[in-house]
Amino acid sequence: MAEFELRLEENIFDLHARLQSGSWKPNSYSVFFVQDPKLRKIHKASVRDRVLYQAMYQALYQVFDSGFIHDSYSSRNFKGTHAGFRRLQEFSRKLTNNYHLNGHVLKCDIRKFFDSIDHEILLGLIKRKIVDERLFDLIEKIVRSFETVRGKGLPLGNVTSQLFANIYLNELDQFTKHILKAKYYIRYCDDFVILDLSEEKLKLQKEKIRLFLGQNLLLSLHPSKVIIQKMLQGTDFLGYVALPYYSVLRTKTKRRMFGKLKEDPRPKLVQSYLGMLKHCRGWKIRKKILSLLS
């Protein structure tokens, strides 16, 4: 423990000196994979750089978050998946007059989102609010420290990537809310939904969003993950399925849950899953989990 604290202190002093002199450059990333649920390639920054990225995130969050729409739920204080799903349920009830009307939902997913973020576009959006040249130069070094192809991509392992993603897709949020006038719109990272009574209106909005993403953000919708369906069929979003008057855990989430519990039934993991079930009709799943542990 003492050795770790000493190394951390040395890293912080080194970081401070390099930032003051303007000589800081990001270290190379280490790479590992996680299954969540699909295989993801994670790029992890050095300890020294993670200290800087966390400080940068905290400072920039205060600058940018106030400009985001209310219904953006990823990587924001007092938001998250459960709040986003509750908002979907609230919108569903309002739109359909408590399910007395037939509503439709447009579900979209952006293809290879983090790999496709354009550095020039992102830096242009950041520069609108960051006027200090030294600070902007530092941000630019962070953005350009990683790329999947030339001038594109953000590392999944950086805390700053979460904020940069929201800055980037805030352009989509503003377009959808204020140009398309979509009243019932929710986004969580690169997944988003729009609710409306008119299926035809959603088809038009989908096409306008597709064009906006391509022309303004150099992004594309995932061809197999864009659907329009009746809300009565159930809306699969953020790990749950919203049905009239109740919700259930999505099938893939349930399978992943039991798979992990069979491998490693740690009390902390069990409590986490039992907490998830409080947000849906899950008493049967809860009973099955407890039976596995007995």
Side-chain angles (χ1 to χ4, degrees), residues 187-216:
R187 181 178 64 80
Y188 186 95
C189 196
D190 58 334
D191 294 330
F192 58 95
V193 294
I194 304 176
L195 281 58
D196 203 278
L197 295 177
S198 170
E199 183 179 6
E200 290 305 313
K201 184 177 178 180
L202 290 177
K203 288 179 180 178
L204 290 173
Q205 289 178 330
K206 178 193 73 173
E207 191 59 25
K208 289 177 181 178
I209 286 171
R210 186 185 68 79
L211 291 172
F212 176 84
L213 288 172
Q215 294 172 1
N216 294 273

PDB file of all heavy atoms in Angstrom, residues 187-216:
ATOM      1  N   ARG A 187     -32.663   9.947 -24.873  1.00  0.00           N
ATOM      2  CA  ARG A 187     -31.409   9.356 -25.359  1.00  0.00           C
ATOM      3  C   ARG A 187     -30.548   8.882 -24.200  1.00  0.00           C
ATOM      4  O   ARG A 187     -30.423   9.564 -23.187  1.00  0.00           O
ATOM      5  CB  ARG A 187     -30.601  10.362 -26.192  1.00  0.00           C
ATOM      6  CG  ARG A 187     -29.299   9.768 -26.744  1.00  0.00           C
ATOM      7  CD  ARG A 187     -28.528  10.752 -27.599  1.00  0.00           C
ATOM      8  NE  ARG A 187     -28.075  11.906 -26.840  1.00  0.00           N
ATOM      9  CZ  ARG A 187     -27.000  11.927 -26.038  1.00  0.00           C
ATOM     10  NH1 ARG A 187     -26.289  10.821 -25.859  1.00  0.00           N
ATOM     11  NH2 ARG A 187     -26.664  13.026 -25.398  1.00  0.00           N
ATOM     12  N   TYR A 188     -29.940   7.703 -24.372  1.00  0.00           N
ATOM     13  CA  TYR A 188     -28.932   7.195 -23.457  1.00  0.00           C
ATOM     14  C   TYR A 188     -27.739   6.781 -24.302  1.00  0.00           C
ATOM     15  O   TYR A 188     -27.799   5.789 -25.030  1.00  0.00           O
ATOM     16  CB  TYR A 188     -29.455   6.012 -22.644  1.00  0.00           C
ATOM     17  CG  TYR A 188     -28.474   5.556 -21.583  1.00  0.00           C
ATOM     18  CD1 TYR A 188     -28.568   6.031 -20.273  1.00  0.00           C
ATOM     19  CD2 TYR A 188     -27.437   4.677 -21.883  1.00  0.00           C
ATOM     20  CE1 TYR A 188     -27.664   5.636 -19.302  1.00  0.00           C
ATOM     21  CE2 TYR A 188     -26.525   4.283 -20.927  1.00  0.00           C
ATOM     22  CZ  TYR A 188     -26.646   4.772 -19.638  1.00  0.00           C
ATOM     23  OH  TYR A 188     -25.722   4.392 -18.681  1.00  0.00           O
ATOM     24  N   CYS A 189     -26.677   7.573 -24.249  1.00  0.00           N
ATOM     25  CA  CYS A 189     -25.501   7.374 -25.089  1.00  0.00           C
ATOM     26  C   CYS A 189     -25.936   7.328 -26.564  1.00  0.00           C
ATOM     27  O   CYS A 189     -26.544   8.273 -27.046  1.00  0.00           O
ATOM     28  CB  CYS A 189     -24.721   6.129 -24.676  1.00  0.00           C
ATOM     29  SG  CYS A 189     -23.046   6.077 -25.366  1.00  0.00           S
ATOM     30  N   ASP A 190     -25.683   6.233 -27.279  1.00  0.00           N
ATOM     31  CA  ASP A 190     -26.036   6.193 -28.707  1.00  0.00           C
ATOM     32  C   ASP A 190     -27.341   5.453 -28.974  1.00  0.00           C
ATOM     33  O   ASP A 190     -27.657   5.156 -30.126  1.00  0.00           O
ATOM     34  CB  ASP A 190     -24.901   5.560 -29.520  1.00  0.00           C
ATOM     35  CG  ASP A 190     -24.566   4.150 -29.054  1.00  0.00           C
ATOM     36  OD1 ASP A 190     -24.806   3.847 -27.875  1.00  0.00           O
ATOM     37  OD2 ASP A 190     -24.052   3.357 -29.868  1.00  0.00           O
ATOM     38  N   ASP A 191     -28.109   5.165 -27.918  1.00  0.00           N
ATOM     39  CA  ASP A 191     -29.449   4.579 -28.068  1.00  0.00           C
ATOM     40  C   ASP A 191     -30.491   5.655 -27.785  1.00  0.00           C
ATOM     41  O   ASP A 191     -30.388   6.361 -26.779  1.00  0.00           O
ATOM     42  CB  ASP A 191     -29.666   3.426 -27.079  1.00  0.00           C
ATOM     43  CG  ASP A 191     -28.771   2.240 -27.365  1.00  0.00           C
ATOM     44  OD1 ASP A 191     -28.434   2.027 -28.546  1.00  0.00           O
ATOM     45  OD2 ASP A 191     -28.402   1.530 -26.425  1.00  0.00           O
ATOM     46  N   PHE A 192     -31.491   5.779 -28.646  1.00  0.00           N
ATOM     47  CA  PHE A 192     -32.532   6.774 -28.380  1.00  0.00           C
ATOM     48  C   PHE A 192     -33.879   6.316 -28.921  1.00  0.00           C
ATOM     49  O   PHE A 192     -33.962   5.471 -29.814  1.00  0.00           O
ATOM     50  CB  PHE A 192     -32.152   8.146 -28.949  1.00  0.00           C
ATOM     51  CG  PHE A 192     -31.874   8.187 -30.433  1.00  0.00           C
ATOM     52  CD1 PHE A 192     -32.867   8.527 -31.336  1.00  0.00           C
ATOM     53  CD2 PHE A 192     -30.599   7.913 -30.923  1.00  0.00           C
ATOM     54  CE1 PHE A 192     -32.620   8.591 -32.699  1.00  0.00           C
ATOM     55  CE2 PHE A 192     -30.333   7.978 -32.286  1.00  0.00           C
ATOM     56  CZ  PHE A 192     -31.342   8.319 -33.170  1.00  0.00           C
ATOM     57  N   VAL A 193     -34.926   6.878 -28.326  1.00  0.00           N
ATOM     58  CA  VAL A 193     -36.296   6.548 -28.716  1.00  0.00           C
ATOM     59  C   VAL A 193     -37.102   7.828 -28.902  1.00  0.00           C
ATOM     60  O   VAL A 193     -36.832   8.843 -28.253  1.00  0.00           O
ATOM     61  CB  VAL A 193     -37.003   5.659 -27.667  1.00  0.00           C
ATOM     62  CG1 VAL A 193     -36.352   4.295 -27.578  1.00  0.00           C
ATOM     63  CG2 VAL A 193     -37.033   6.326 -26.307  1.00  0.00           C
ATOM     64  N   ILE A 194     -38.074   7.759 -29.800  1.00  0.00           N
ATOM     65  CA  ILE A 194     -39.067   8.822 -29.968  1.00  0.00           C
ATOM     66  C   ILE A 194     -40.435   8.164 -29.958  1.00  0.00           C
ATOM     67  O   ILE A 194     -40.656   7.154 -30.635  1.00  0.00           O
ATOM     68  CB  ILE A 194     -38.889   9.598 -31.286  1.00  0.00           C
ATOM     69  CG1 ILE A 194     -37.473  10.185 -31.385  1.00  0.00           C
ATOM     70  CG2 ILE A 194     -39.926  10.721 -31.390  1.00  0.00           C
ATOM     71  CD1 ILE A 194     -37.202  10.875 -32.714  1.00  0.00           C
ATOM     72  N   LEU A 195     -41.349   8.725 -29.186  1.00  0.00           N
ATOM     73  CA  LEU A 195     -42.714   8.203 -29.095  1.00  0.00           C
ATOM     74  C   LEU A 195     -43.671   9.158 -29.785  1.00  0.00           C
ATOM     75  O   LEU A 195     -43.537  10.381 -29.671  1.00  0.00           O
ATOM     76  CB  LEU A 195     -43.135   8.040 -27.633  1.00  0.00           C
ATOM     77  CG  LEU A 195     -42.651   6.811 -26.851  1.00  0.00           C
ATOM     78  CD1 LEU A 195     -41.132   6.727 -26.831  1.00  0.00           C
ATOM     79  CD2 LEU A 195     -43.180   6.850 -25.423  1.00  0.00           C
ATOM     80  N   ASP A 196     -44.631   8.601 -30.495  1.00  0.00           N
ATOM     81  CA  ASP A 196     -45.640   9.426 -31.162  1.00  0.00           C
ATOM     82  C   ASP A 196     -46.848   8.558 -31.500  1.00  0.00           C
ATOM     83  O   ASP A 196     -46.728   7.334 -31.638  1.00  0.00           O
ATOM     84  CB  ASP A 196     -45.071  10.048 -32.441  1.00  0.00           C
ATOM     85  CG  ASP A 196     -45.832  11.299 -32.858  1.00  0.00           C
ATOM     86  OD1 ASP A 196     -46.894  11.169 -33.505  1.00  0.00           O
ATOM     87  OD2 ASP A 196     -45.371  12.407 -32.518  1.00  0.00           O
ATOM     88  N   LEU A 197     -48.002   9.200 -31.663  1.00  0.00           N
ATOM     89  CA  LEU A 197     -49.204   8.464 -32.058  1.00  0.00           C
ATOM     90  C   LEU A 197     -49.164   8.081 -33.531  1.00  0.00           C
ATOM     91  O   LEU A 197     -49.758   7.086 -33.944  1.00  0.00           O
ATOM     92  CB  LEU A 197     -50.456   9.301 -31.770  1.00  0.00           C
ATOM     93  CG  LEU A 197     -50.745   9.602 -30.299  1.00  0.00           C
ATOM     94  CD1 LEU A 197     -51.973  10.501 -30.181  1.00  0.00           C
ATOM     95  CD2 LEU A 197     -50.960   8.311 -29.508  1.00  0.00           C
ATOM     96  N   SER A 198     -48.433   8.863 -34.327  1.00  0.00           N
ATOM     97  CA  SER A 198     -48.403   8.658 -35.775  1.00  0.00           C
ATOM     98  C   SER A 198     -47.179   7.859 -36.219  1.00  0.00           C
ATOM     99  O   SER A 198     -46.039   8.298 -36.046  1.00  0.00           O
ATOM    100  CB  SER A 198     -48.405  10.012 -36.491  1.00  0.00           C
ATOM    101  OG  SER A 198     -48.144   9.853 -37.870  1.00  0.00           O
ATOM    102  N   GLU A 199     -47.408   6.725 -36.816  1.00  0.00           N
ATOM    103  CA  GLU A 199     -46.316   5.917 -37.361  1.00  0.00           C
ATOM    104  C   GLU A 199     -45.658   6.624 -38.540  1.00  0.00           C
ATOM    105  O   GLU A 199     -44.428   6.591 -38.695  1.00  0.00           O
ATOM    106  CB  GLU A 199     -46.845   4.542 -37.800  1.00  0.00           C
ATOM    107  CG  GLU A 199     -45.769   3.617 -38.320  1.00  0.00           C
ATOM    108  CD  GLU A 199     -46.324   2.250 -38.722  1.00  0.00           C
ATOM    109  OE1 GLU A 199     -47.558   2.070 -38.690  1.00  0.00           O
ATOM    110  OE2 GLU A 199     -45.510   1.372 -39.078  1.00  0.00           O
ATOM    111  N   GLU A 200     -46.456   7.288 -39.352  1.00  0.00           N
ATOM    112  CA  GLU A 200     -45.922   7.997 -40.518  1.00  0.00           C
ATOM    113  C   GLU A 200     -45.003   9.140 -40.102  1.00  0.00           C
ATOM    114  O   GLU A 200     -43.958   9.384 -40.730  1.00  0.00           O
ATOM    115  CB  GLU A 200     -47.070   8.531 -41.385  1.00  0.00           C
ATOM    116  CG  GLU A 200     -47.844   7.452 -42.112  1.00  0.00           C
ATOM    117  CD  GLU A 200     -46.942   6.567 -42.965  1.00  0.00           C
ATOM    118  OE1 GLU A 200     -46.099   7.133 -43.708  1.00  0.00           O
ATOM    119  OE2 GLU A 200     -47.065   5.340 -42.883  1.00  0.00           O
ATOM    120  N   LYS A 201     -45.366   9.850 -39.056  1.00  0.00           N
ATOM    121  CA  LYS A 201     -44.525  10.939 -38.558  1.00  0.00           C
ATOM    122  C   LYS A 201     -43.175  10.402 -38.090  1.00  0.00           C
ATOM    123  O   LYS A 201     -42.124  11.005 -38.360  1.00  0.00           O
ATOM    124  CB  LYS A 201     -45.231  11.661 -37.415  1.00  0.00           C
ATOM    125  CG  LYS A 201     -44.477  12.875 -36.895  1.00  0.00           C
ATOM    126  CD  LYS A 201     -45.280  13.581 -35.812  1.00  0.00           C
ATOM    127  CE  LYS A 201     -44.520  14.775 -35.248  1.00  0.00           C
ATOM    128  NZ  LYS A 201     -45.313  15.456 -34.183  1.00  0.00           N
ATOM    129  N   LEU A 202     -43.180   9.262 -37.416  1.00  0.00           N
ATOM    130  CA  LEU A 202     -41.930   8.666 -36.960  1.00  0.00           C
ATOM    131  C   LEU A 202     -41.056   8.230 -38.137  1.00  0.00           C
ATOM    132  O   LEU A 202     -39.824   8.327 -38.080  1.00  0.00           O
ATOM    133  CB  LEU A 202     -42.216   7.470 -36.047  1.00  0.00           C
ATOM    134  CG  LEU A 202     -42.804   7.806 -34.672  1.00  0.00           C
ATOM    135  CD1 LEU A 202     -43.111   6.527 -33.903  1.00  0.00           C
ATOM    136  CD2 LEU A 202     -41.867   8.695 -33.868  1.00  0.00           C
ATOM    137  N   LYS A 203     -41.678   7.745 -39.203  1.00  0.00           N
ATOM    138  CA  LYS A 203     -40.906   7.354 -40.388  1.00  0.00           C
ATOM    139  C   LYS A 203     -40.200   8.560 -40.993  1.00  0.00           C
ATOM    140  O   LYS A 203     -39.028   8.477 -41.392  1.00  0.00           O
ATOM    141  CB  LYS A 203     -41.829   6.712 -41.431  1.00  0.00           C
ATOM    142  CG  LYS A 203     -42.307   5.311 -41.054  1.00  0.00           C
ATOM    143  CD  LYS A 203     -43.242   4.755 -42.122  1.00  0.00           C
ATOM    144  CE  LYS A 203     -43.729   3.358 -41.759  1.00  0.00           C
ATOM    145  NZ  LYS A 203     -44.677   2.817 -42.769  1.00  0.00           N
ATOM    146  N   LEU A 204     -40.901   9.690 -41.044  1.00  0.00           N
ATOM    147  CA  LEU A 204     -40.289  10.917 -41.567  1.00  0.00           C
ATOM    148  C   LEU A 204     -39.168  11.402 -40.657  1.00  0.00           C
ATOM    149  O   LEU A 204     -38.107  11.830 -41.131  1.00  0.00           O
ATOM    150  CB  LEU A 204     -41.361  12.003 -41.717  1.00  0.00           C
ATOM    151  CG  LEU A 204     -42.394  11.798 -42.832  1.00  0.00           C
ATOM    152  CD1 LEU A 204     -43.490  12.862 -42.739  1.00  0.00           C
ATOM    153  CD2 LEU A 204     -41.713  11.873 -44.196  1.00  0.00           C
ATOM    154  N   GLN A 205     -39.399  11.343 -39.358  1.00  0.00           N
ATOM    155  CA  GLN A 205     -38.378  11.782 -38.408  1.00  0.00           C
ATOM    156  C   GLN A 205     -37.138  10.893 -38.486  1.00  0.00           C
ATOM    157  O   GLN A 205     -36.014  11.389 -38.388  1.00  0.00           O
ATOM    158  CB  GLN A 205     -38.950  11.793 -36.991  1.00  0.00           C
ATOM    159  CG  GLN A 205     -39.959  12.912 -36.758  1.00  0.00           C
ATOM    160  CD  GLN A 205     -40.552  12.896 -35.367  1.00  0.00           C
ATOM    161  OE1 GLN A 205     -40.679  11.842 -34.749  1.00  0.00           O
ATOM    162  NE2 GLN A 205     -40.945  14.060 -34.872  1.00  0.00           N
ATOM    163  N   LYS A 206     -37.357   9.605 -38.665  1.00  0.00           N
ATOM    164  CA  LYS A 206     -36.221   8.684 -38.791  1.00  0.00           C
ATOM    165  C   LYS A 206     -35.348   9.067 -39.975  1.00  0.00           C
ATOM    166  O   LYS A 206     -34.116   9.108 -39.870  1.00  0.00           O
ATOM    167  CB  LYS A 206     -36.724   7.250 -38.964  1.00  0.00           C
ATOM    168  CG  LYS A 206     -35.606   6.215 -39.154  1.00  0.00           C
ATOM    169  CD  LYS A 206     -36.140   4.890 -39.636  1.00  0.00           C
ATOM    170  CE  LYS A 206     -36.557   4.965 -41.094  1.00  0.00           C
ATOM    171  NZ  LYS A 206     -36.925   3.637 -41.665  1.00  0.00           N
ATOM    172  N   GLU A 207     -35.964   9.387 -41.096  1.00  0.00           N
ATOM    173  CA  GLU A 207     -35.203   9.747 -42.289  1.00  0.00           C
ATOM    174  C   GLU A 207     -34.473  11.078 -42.099  1.00  0.00           C
ATOM    175  O   GLU A 207     -33.319  11.231 -42.519  1.00  0.00           O
ATOM    176  CB  GLU A 207     -36.137   9.816 -43.496  1.00  0.00           C
ATOM    177  CG  GLU A 207     -35.426   9.921 -44.831  1.00  0.00           C
ATOM    178  CD  GLU A 207     -34.485   8.757 -45.098  1.00  0.00           C
ATOM    179  OE1 GLU A 207     -34.705   7.672 -44.531  1.00  0.00           O
ATOM    180  OE2 GLU A 207     -33.522   8.941 -45.869  1.00  0.00           O
ATOM    181  N   LYS A 208     -35.123  12.035 -41.461  1.00  0.00           N
ATOM    182  CA  LYS A 208     -34.469  13.321 -41.212  1.00  0.00           C
ATOM    183  C   LYS A 208     -33.304  13.185 -40.242  1.00  0.00           C
ATOM    184  O   LYS A 208     -32.273  13.853 -40.390  1.00  0.00           O
ATOM    185  CB  LYS A 208     -35.505  14.321 -40.680  1.00  0.00           C
ATOM    186  CG  LYS A 208     -36.505  14.771 -41.737  1.00  0.00           C
ATOM    187  CD  LYS A 208     -37.553  15.709 -41.158  1.00  0.00           C
ATOM    188  CE  LYS A 208     -38.559  16.129 -42.235  1.00  0.00           C
ATOM    189  NZ  LYS A 208     -39.617  17.019 -41.686  1.00  0.00           N
ATOM    190  N   ILE A 209     -33.452  12.320 -39.258  1.00  0.00           N
ATOM    191  CA  ILE A 209     -32.356  12.060 -38.311  1.00  0.00           C
ATOM    192  C   ILE A 209     -31.196  11.378 -39.028  1.00  0.00           C
ATOM    193  O   ILE A 209     -30.030  11.727 -38.808  1.00  0.00           O
ATOM    194  CB  ILE A 209     -32.859  11.204 -37.131  1.00  0.00           C
ATOM    195  CG1 ILE A 209     -33.722  12.051 -36.202  1.00  0.00           C
ATOM    196  CG2 ILE A 209     -31.694  10.577 -36.366  1.00  0.00           C
ATOM    197  CD1 ILE A 209     -34.434  11.265 -35.121  1.00  0.00           C
ATOM    198  N   ARG A 210     -31.512  10.438 -39.882  1.00  0.00           N
ATOM    199  CA  ARG A 210     -30.469   9.746 -40.645  1.00  0.00           C
ATOM    200  C   ARG A 210     -29.648  10.731 -41.472  1.00  0.00           C
ATOM    201  O   ARG A 210     -28.414  10.681 -41.482  1.00  0.00           O
ATOM    202  CB  ARG A 210     -31.084   8.676 -41.553  1.00  0.00           C
ATOM    203  CG  ARG A 210     -30.065   7.806 -42.280  1.00  0.00           C
ATOM    204  CD  ARG A 210     -30.746   6.856 -43.255  1.00  0.00           C
ATOM    205  NE  ARG A 210     -31.351   7.569 -44.365  1.00  0.00           N
ATOM    206  CZ  ARG A 210     -30.683   8.046 -45.422  1.00  0.00           C
ATOM    207  NH1 ARG A 210     -29.366   7.891 -45.491  1.00  0.00           N
ATOM    208  NH2 ARG A 210     -31.304   8.667 -46.386  1.00  0.00           N
ATOM    209  N   LEU A 211     -30.343  11.655 -42.135  1.00  0.00           N
ATOM    210  CA  LEU A 211     -29.660  12.656 -42.951  1.00  0.00           C
ATOM    211  C   LEU A 211     -28.850  13.617 -42.084  1.00  0.00           C
ATOM    212  O   LEU A 211     -27.714  13.973 -42.416  1.00  0.00           O
ATOM    213  CB  LEU A 211     -30.677  13.441 -43.791  1.00  0.00           C
ATOM    214  CG  LEU A 211     -31.360  12.648 -44.910  1.00  0.00           C
ATOM    215  CD1 LEU A 211     -32.486  13.464 -45.533  1.00  0.00           C
ATOM    216  CD2 LEU A 211     -30.349  12.245 -45.970  1.00  0.00           C
ATOM    217  N   PHE A 212     -29.415  14.035 -40.955  1.00  0.00           N
ATOM    218  CA  PHE A 212     -28.715  14.963 -40.064  1.00  0.00           C
ATOM    219  C   PHE A 212     -27.425  14.340 -39.529  1.00  0.00           C
ATOM    220  O   PHE A 212     -26.367  14.986 -39.522  1.00  0.00           O
ATOM    221  CB  PHE A 212     -29.623  15.360 -38.899  1.00  0.00           C
ATOM    222  CG  PHE A 212     -28.933  16.235 -37.882  1.00  0.00           C
ATOM    223  CD1 PHE A 212     -28.859  17.610 -38.073  1.00  0.00           C
ATOM    224  CD2 PHE A 212     -28.340  15.680 -36.753  1.00  0.00           C
ATOM    225  CE1 PHE A 212     -28.205  18.416 -37.157  1.00  0.00           C
ATOM    226  CE2 PHE A 212     -27.684  16.488 -35.828  1.00  0.00           C
ATOM    227  CZ  PHE A 212     -27.611  17.852 -36.030  1.00  0.00           C
ATOM    228  N   LEU A 213     -27.514  13.091 -39.073  1.00  0.00           N
ATOM    229  CA  LEU A 213     -26.333  12.418 -38.546  1.00  0.00           C
ATOM    230  C   LEU A 213     -25.232  12.310 -39.603  1.00  0.00           C
ATOM    231  O   LEU A 213     -24.055  12.551 -39.322  1.00  0.00           O
ATOM    232  CB  LEU A 213     -26.702  11.024 -38.035  1.00  0.00           C
ATOM    233  CG  LEU A 213     -27.505  10.953 -36.740  1.00  0.00           C
ATOM    234  CD1 LEU A 213     -27.959   9.516 -36.481  1.00  0.00           C
ATOM    235  CD2 LEU A 213     -26.692  11.462 -35.561  1.00  0.00           C
ATOM    236  N   GLY A 214     -25.612  11.932 -40.811  1.00  0.00           N
ATOM    237  CA  GLY A 214     -24.625  11.776 -41.874  1.00  0.00           C
ATOM    238  C   GLY A 214     -23.987  13.082 -42.292  1.00  0.00           C
ATOM    239  O   GLY A 214     -22.768  13.167 -42.473  1.00  0.00           O
ATOM    240  N   GLN A 215     -24.790  14.124 -42.430  1.00  0.00           N
ATOM    241  CA  GLN A 215     -24.291  15.404 -42.934  1.00  0.00           C
ATOM    242  C   GLN A 215     -23.566  16.227 -41.879  1.00  0.00           C
ATOM    243  O   GLN A 215     -22.608  16.938 -42.190  1.00  0.00           O
ATOM    244  CB  GLN A 215     -25.449  16.210 -43.512  1.00  0.00           C
ATOM    245  CG  GLN A 215     -26.065  15.589 -44.758  1.00  0.00           C
ATOM    246  CD  GLN A 215     -27.336  16.290 -45.201  1.00  0.00           C
ATOM    247  OE1 GLN A 215     -27.775  17.270 -44.595  1.00  0.00           O
ATOM    248  NE2 GLN A 215     -27.944  15.793 -46.269  1.00  0.00           N
ATOM    249  N   ASN A 216     -24.007  16.164 -40.628  1.00  0.00           N
ATOM    250  CA  ASN A 216     -23.482  17.056 -39.595  1.00  0.00           C
ATOM    251  C   ASN A 216     -22.509  16.391 -38.623  1.00  0.00           C
ATOM    252  O   ASN A 216     -21.633  17.076 -38.082  1.00  0.00           O
ATOM    253  CB  ASN A 216     -24.640  17.661 -38.800  1.00  0.00           C
ATOM    254  CG  ASN A 216     -25.502  18.580 -39.642  1.00  0.00           C
ATOM    255  OD1 ASN A 216     -25.241  19.760 -39.776  1.00  0.00           O
ATOM    256  ND2 ASN A 216     -26.555  18.015 -40.228  1.00  0.00           N
TER     257      ASN A 216
END
